[in-house]
Amino acid sequence: MQFIYAIVISMKNNSFNLLVVLFLALFISSCNLGTHTPTAPPIVEPPAPIPPPTIAPPPPPTTNPFPDPTLKIVGDEEIVFDWGNDRCADHNIPDLAFRAFRGADGQVQAILSHGSSYRMLGPDLNNLKIDCDSVMKSAYDADPAKYTDAEWIAAPYTEDGETVYALVHNEYQGHSHPGQCPQNDYFPCWDNSITLAISTDGGKSYDEALSPPSHLVARFPYPYKAGAGPEGFRAPSNIIKGQDDYYYSFFNVSEYGTQKQWVCLMRTDDLGAPDSWRFWDGTNFDGQFADPYTDDIIDPEAHICPHIDQVGNTSETLSESITYNTYLNRYVLIGISADWLDDREVWGFYYSFSDNLVNWTHRKLLLEVELPWTVESSGSDISHLYPSLLDPDSSSRNFETTDKTAYVYFTRNNFGHGSLDRDLIRVPVEFFPSE
């Protein structure tokens, strides 16, 4: 999978209107290993001491001593996973934002997610090596009502290091199934949903948490329709546990039929129950997802989440990575976006702060980078995707917290989005109380 966004930004009279239009996607076939031309269907060390259970972020202070904090790059890039030297198979690539947790044995496990997902192992985030045993392979089921077509592990979470739950990015790729896509094209027949997987062997293998389609977490309340895509609920952020003992995750929405995009927030108090997730409806977490194939849906609109920005001053596209910063006592959201800076449109990795996960500050630019839709030749030029923020020193088993210093991890497409040659890169960052 090459998961690519295209965002159309319009500016007028200093009012920033953000329309998100899904533009590109990933085309790499398991039957075309070793080539740089994607075809259908895409597949889109010594043990450390056992860490304590997940530490929930502390509540924000009543008075914030850092009213205008900033995040800055403070060092050089380094390669974490070199596709040319480290890969176990050609399709062993970092194709979603980087996630990590500590297992019951104290070892760090980090996911390189794709249609066949692998993990990296090591005593800490600074010393990881690829494990060549795939932890989850896609089922490629032609039935859209099963939600088991092309599957990416998107957000693993564990309380004890042994039982691991994971939100899964599931793509129904109608064009790859005979009779399901008269358009014979990826984009109009691309339907996305979020499901739940589970590992009961400490992360060595994952499977659907419940028998399909009961493992469904979230999707549009409309059935798959050839020509309506790209659409769906997709690419969930990592999971973060709040002080209220709920588990939270952001996810991207591409509107059914129009492809307008925004970001929603959902939460649950039971990671093992796929149908327990509820979305923020603008007032509370009372929004309930629906399955168009099994539920009696009277009002479909009641099952579609609104964007989480209630004040109009944050990017509607930041959704890749959420952490709680113990230095600033604020949540930090990282993602891809653009803004009008120095009289020009600037694309790159941006960040935003929040005290409550719902209202966010206006995004700030962390790093200007070339993206698949900003380069001259998207099929050959270097581009970047999937930023995430991780702190090797985090006391959280699931790396939910950061302190004054951390790393931003991201994928570098070395020869454009048509190539499998993609490396995982990280760069050191530091938080400051002000500019």
Side-chain angles (χ1 to χ4, degrees), residues 101 103 109 111 119 121 131 133-136 153 161-164 198-206:
F101 63 89
Q109 301 187 34
I111 302 295
R119 61 180 180 169
L121 301 173
D131 176 11
D133 291 327
S134 175
V135 296
M136 184 173 180
I153 295 177
E162 189 63 35
T163 299
V164 187
I198 186 174
S199 171
T200 58
D201 55 11
K204 294 179 182 178
S205 64
Y206 293 79

Side-chain angles (χ1 to χ4, degrees), residues 377-421:
S377 175
S378 61
S380 61
D381 293 347
I382 292 176
S383 60
H384 310 80
L385 286 170
Y386 314 129
S388 61
L389 183 66
L390 292 167
D391 182 358
D393 298 326
S394 175
S395 59
S396 163
R397 185 186 288 277
N398 297 280
F399 295 94
E400 299 156 271
T401 61
T402 56
D403 52 26
K404 197 173 190 306
T405 60
Y407 286 88
V408 168
Y409 292 74
F410 57 90
T411 295
R412 182 178 65 200
N413 302 319
N414 293 319
F415 297 98
H417 72 271
S419 170
L420 291 173
D421 191 339

